[in-house]
Every structure is written in C-alpha cells, then in structure tokens.
Amino acid sequence: MTHTPYSKDFPVSWDELHRNARALSWRLLEMGPWKGIVAITRGGLVPAAIIARELDIRLIDTICIVSYASKGAEAAQHQGQLNVLKGVEGDGEGMLLIDDLVDTGKTARAVREMLPKAHFATIYAKPAGKPLVDTFITEVSQDTWIRFPWDMEYAFSTPLADRDR
C-alpha cells in the first residue's frame, strides 16, 4: 500500500464543477472589468472556459506548468518539481489567473511571481494554499484528494449486497 498525504476522497461531478465555476464567475463579475484570462494548465482550462463564457472574455492565454507526476493514479497524488513549459508576458495587471484548485501553494507561488498583479481565482482551496489566492469558492481540508471529472470515467459498481463482506 502506497502512503499519500491524502486520507479523504472528494469526487467532483461535471455538474458540480460547472455550478462552482459559475459561482466563481458571479464573484469575479462584480470585481471587473477584466482584460483577459490566464489559465494554469491543465487544471485551470475547464474553469477558465466557463468563466470566459460567463464574463464574456475573449482574450485567453495559458501558463503551462507541470507540478504533479502523471504516471498512474497514485503518482498523480504526489507533487514534484515545478517545470514551467510556457509563461506569459507582462505582470498580469487586469488579468484573471484561473486554476481548478490551490493545494500546497507551490504552483501558486510560482505563478504569483510571474504575474504579481493578476487576480488569482480558484474553485477549490486548501489551507496551505488559501492565502495565495484572491478569490475561491470551496475550501477543502489539506488531507483531501479532489477527483475532478476529467480524471474519472464511469464504471459499473457492484451492488453492496453482492460485494464480499
């Protein structure tokens, strides 16, 4: 058994993600207008698309950064070295910086250094990273692994009565 720092599992459906991204949009709308969005790939892409639609923003860029291993389900739960594949120009003034969540704050610190004047918004925030974002919707405990809908697939579930006890 592999030990991870995550003892809780928090699956998020497409409907829930969409609803939370729209709730984030409501908050951000009141703070605008915004020049554009910088999505942190890959987790920030889907929330950024929803927010761009809701706020009628057409200028969208990306910061491409790798912070989690991508070999297998358990490897994805261990944050590794940051690798910036693509940055953006400027200091972020008037821009929204969007990600799905802030976890340890490691990625958040790096992107904050790149775009210190951007407004950083996430759907989910954990305690260690929460101080680094300006706006978020839902706080989850540090020991929770959030399972986003793009990381899951539907599968048959054996009825409880038919499972080995």
Side-chain angles (χ1 to χ4, degrees), residues 14-36:
W14 283 109
D15 286 343
E16 185 177 6
L17 180 85
H18 189 247
R19 188 172 38 255
N20 286 331
R22 290 193 73 209
L24 184 57
S25 298
W26 274 110
R27 290 189 185 170
L28 297 171
L29 180 64
E30 297 170 358
M31 299 174 196
W34 303 103
K35 292 179 183 175

Side-chain angles (χ1 to χ4, degrees), residues 88-135:
V88 295
E89 302 264 331
D91 60 8
E93 187 167 359
M95 301 294 282
L96 283 170
L97 183 59
I98 303 293
D99 207 353
D100 53 358
L101 85 142
V102 59
D103 190 332
T104 64
K106 190 174 183 180
T107 301
R109 275 185 203 85
V111 296
R112 276 276 196 210
E113 287 178 17
M114 288 185 242
L115 299 171
K117 293 186 178 179
H119 185 93
F120 196 176
T122 63
I123 295 178
Y124 300 99
K126 293 185 181 182
K130 186 172 79 167
L132 296 164
V133 297
D134 300 304
T135 307

Side-chain angles (χ1 to χ4, degrees), residues 19-99:
R19 188 172 38 255
N20 286 331
R22 290 193 73 209
L24 184 57
S25 298
W26 274 110
R27 290 189 185 170
L28 297 171
L29 180 64
E30 297 170 358
M31 299 174 196
W34 303 103
K35 292 179 183 175
I37 291 175
V38 177
I40 300 172
T41 67
R42 289 179 309 216
L45 289 170
V46 172
I50 295 165
I51 292 165
R53 179 198 181 271
E54 296 300 332
L55 302 184
D56 195 27
I57 294 173
R58 304 293 174 143
L59 178 63
I60 302 170
D61 201 348
T62 57
I63 287 180
C64 304
I65 191 164
V66 179
S67 61
Y68 285 92
S70 62
K71 302 269 190 226
E74 289 188 12
Q77 296 182 6
H78 296 283
Q79 198 170 26
Q81 280 294 99
L82 292 181
N83 183 13
V84 178
L85 304 174
K86 177 193 161 294
V88 295
E89 302 264 331
D91 60 8
E93 187 167 359
M95 301 294 282
L96 283 170
L97 183 59
I98 303 293
D99 207 353

